[in-house]
Amino acid sequence: QVLLVESGGGSVQAGGSTRLSCAASKDTVSTYCMAWFRQSPGKEPEWVSSIRTDDSTRYPNSVKGRFTISRDKAKDTVYLQMNDLKPEDSAMYYCAAGRAAKSGSCYISWSSYNIRGQGTQVTVSS
């Protein structure tokens, strides 16, 4: 059974930075597409980053240039470095693992990731 455990959330002031970690079961981060999603109360989960097995990354425009996803295969851990945080970045952040498409690309829909962590809250105050 694949397990994902997020950590690193908390309260940050606007303009600040924080890094989330996602500890995964052995070999997970080198096998699956890994992604981060976030969800605010009353809203659908929003994709914020993904990383392929070849380490290529993707981001939506809302976080591009501010967020960086990375992984350490030796530690089976995925990270999300978040800089220049804004109040609208406040949300529960989830780490997720899923199979890549036949093209090798990672999906960006929440429903495509059937392995998910329990989430970690990030609150950005102005």
Side-chain angles (χ1 to χ4, degrees):
Q1 182 182 3
V2 177
L3 295 176
L4 303 173
V5 180
E6 301 95 335
S7 62
S11 297
V12 186
Q13 290 213 328
S17 300
T18 194
R19 187 178 78 161
L20 306 183
S21 299
C22 172
S25 302
K26 182 175 171 55
D27 296 330
T28 298
V29 300
S30 57
T31 302
Y32 292 88
C33 277
M34 300 299 298
W36 287 93
F37 290 81
R38 65 187 181 188
Q39 187 174 25
S40 301
K43 294 187 177 181
E44 294 293 315
E46 176 191 10
W47 165 69
V48 294
S49 63
S50 57
I51 185 167
R52 291 171 36 151
T53 52
D54 64 359
D55 287 336
S56 63
T57 58
R58 288 178 68 193
Y59 306 90
N61 289 336
S62 58
V63 307
K64 192 177 293 183
R66 300 189 299 122
F67 289 13
T68 302
I69 186 173
S70 62
R71 63 179 171 184
D72 186 328
K73 295 178 183 179
K75 294 183 178 179
D76 284 301
T77 301
V78 175
Y79 303 97
L80 183 67
Q81 176 68 41
M82 303 189 291
N83 299 326
D84 190 22
L85 283 161
K86 304 175 181 181
E88 52 264 41
D89 293 319
S90 297
M92 185 71 79
Y93 282 73
Y94 296 92
C95 176
R99 295 292 184 186
K102 289 184 179 180
S103 64
S105 296
C106 296
Y107 295 104
I108 63 172
S109 62
W110 178 246
S111 61
S112 298
Y113 291 82
N114 60 344
I115 304 169
R116 305 161 182 169
Q118 81 289 350
T120 186
Q121 178 69 38
V122 175
T123 302
V124 184
S125 58
S126 58

